[in-house]
Amino acid sequence: MRNNGFKEENMNIGILGNGVIGNALAEVFHKLGHPVQIGVKSLKEEFEKKHYIEYVEGKDITEDNEIIVIAVPGNKVEKAITGIKNPEGKIFIDLTNPIGEDFILTRGRYTSNGEVIQEILKDSHIVKTLNTLGVEKLIDPCINEKRLTMMIAGNNKIANKKVEELILEMGFDPMIVGDIHFSRYLEPLAMIWIEMVRKQGKSFENGLIWIR
Ligand SMILES: NC(=O)c1ccc[n+]([C@@H]2O[C@H](COP(=O)([O-])OP(=O)(O)OC[C@H]3O[C@@H](n4cnc5c(N)ncnc54)[C@H](OP(=O)(O)O)[C@@H]3O)[C@@H](O)[C@H]2O)c1
């Protein structure tokens, strides 16, 4: 159990996946004062370690954490979450996008990664968010001093609220849009940014502001 002397309102956050997004968010959460763990496939493998991150086996990522961010490739989600111990009652942020080769969306219309994860982890609270922008704007969510809107979808009001607070703390304008079935709209929305920035090479200095 970690006791890093943080303020009480700081919560332990776990991140499943030691990749681009996992590491970028770990740094953001650390700077905000939240103790961070990253769940890796195996602790026996060699990898570069950062001093402010505690590393655990992926299956143990729920142990000490209030919120767990699923940051594995979108087509490996089912496998990655299946072995997780004691997921019941935990909040999972799902920022994955079901993207295959050449940035093609592989799931949608009638379902989504968010909904599939909620079906597998049926006693956990899945909150879809942080999937619609690239890493550059996830860590720096303002343009011309205006906060970009980050949509949030999930079935549990308390979990949504908790995630909303974190998203606000990260610098976004959070907007809760509905239950987890909204994931099937949020995942294709990511494709606009992906197509424009990753495929067409446009500047990553763009994002959505939803006026309401
Ligand atoms: N990159 C972005 O700008 C961005 C923005 C928004 C959302 N997303 C979404 O975020 C997710 C992660 O993207 P990324 O760019 O961070 O990908 P990435 O750099 O490839 O990182 C994914 C990480 O997950 C690990 N992983 C795979 N299976 C695992 C398992 N069973 N247990 C634990 N870890 C496992 C991978 O390990 P190995 O390499 O050893 O397989 C890798 O370290 C994707 O779903 C993507 O759509 C990405």
Side-chain angles (χ1 to χ4, degrees):
M1 180 70 89
R2 287 165 295 167
N3 181 358
N4 302 3
F6 284 101
K7 300 193 296 284
E8 231 174 61
E9 61 263 32
N10 289 332
M11 55 195 160
N12 292 351
I13 302 179
I15 299 170
L16 186 66
N18 192 19
V20 173
I21 284 288
N23 278 280
L25 290 183
E27 190 175 346
V28 169
F29 297 146
H30 165 71
K31 284 183 178 158
L32 291 171
H34 301 295
V36 187
Q37 283 185 339
I38 283 192
V40 296
K41 278 184 190 163
S42 169
L43 283 174
K44 290 185 191 131
E45 280 171 26
E46 288 276 312
F47 56 89
E48 193 197 331
K49 296 191 173 69
K50 304 208 168 84
H51 68 88
Y52 53 85
I53 300 174
E54 189 179 333
Y55 296 89
V56 297
E57 298 270 344
K59 62 182 165 41
D60 296 324
I61 195 67
T62 49
E63 191 86 358
D64 279 346
N65 298 305
E66 212 174 320
I67 291 187
I68 297 103
V69 181
I70 302 172
V72 299
N75 54 1
K76 296 191 178 156
V77 161
E78 285 98 322
K79 190 165 178 229
I81 60 169
T82 298
I84 291 181
K85 290 188 202 157
N86 305 320
E88 299 81 12
K90 297 282 180 177
I91 299 172
F92 288 83
I93 291 180
D94 168 33
L95 53 68
T96 68
N97 286 308
I99 291 171
E101 295 287 308
D102 293 329
F103 294 120
I104 300 293
L105 204 59
T106 57
R107 177 175 270 158
R109 193 160 181 196
Y110 301 114
T111 189
S112 57
N113 273 13
E115 289 162 279
V116 169
I117 295 170
Q118 183 65 80
E119 275 165 32
I120 296 172
L121 302 179
K122 58 179 183 321
D123 297 320
S124 311
H125 309 304
I126 314 306
V127 183
K128 185 88 203 181
T129 191
L130 294 177
N131 69 304
T132 50
L133 287 174
V135 64
E136 302 88 346
K137 295 318 294 171
L138 288 185
I139 61 174
D140 173 24
C142 283
I143 295 179
N144 297 334
E145 296 179 18
K146 288 199 173 72
R147 285 172 177 249
L148 297 178
T149 303
M150 182 49 68
M151 298 189 202
I152 300 168
N155 293 344
N156 183 279
K157 284 203 170 90
I158 296 167
N160 288 352
K161 186 83 199 143
K162 193 109 201 162
V163 172
E164 182 186 37
E165 282 163 17
L166 181 65
I167 298 291
L168 183 67
E169 207 186 339
M170 288 172 71
F172 284 102
D173 163 32
M175 179 167 115
I176 298 173
V177 291
D179 66 25
I180 196 64
H181 101 273
F182 274 76
S183 296
R184 66 180 74 169
Y185 313 127
L186 296 184
E187 290 169 11
L189 188 56
M191 294 309 295
I192 294 177
W193 205 89
I194 290 168
E195 288 270 346
M196 287 199 321
V197 176
R198 303 274 187 252
K199 276 193 176 173
Q200 299 171 17
K202 292 196 174 135
S203 163
F204 56 74
E205 280 297 304
N206 73 77
L208 192 70
I209 295 178
W210 194 282
I211 297 170
R212 60 213 190 266

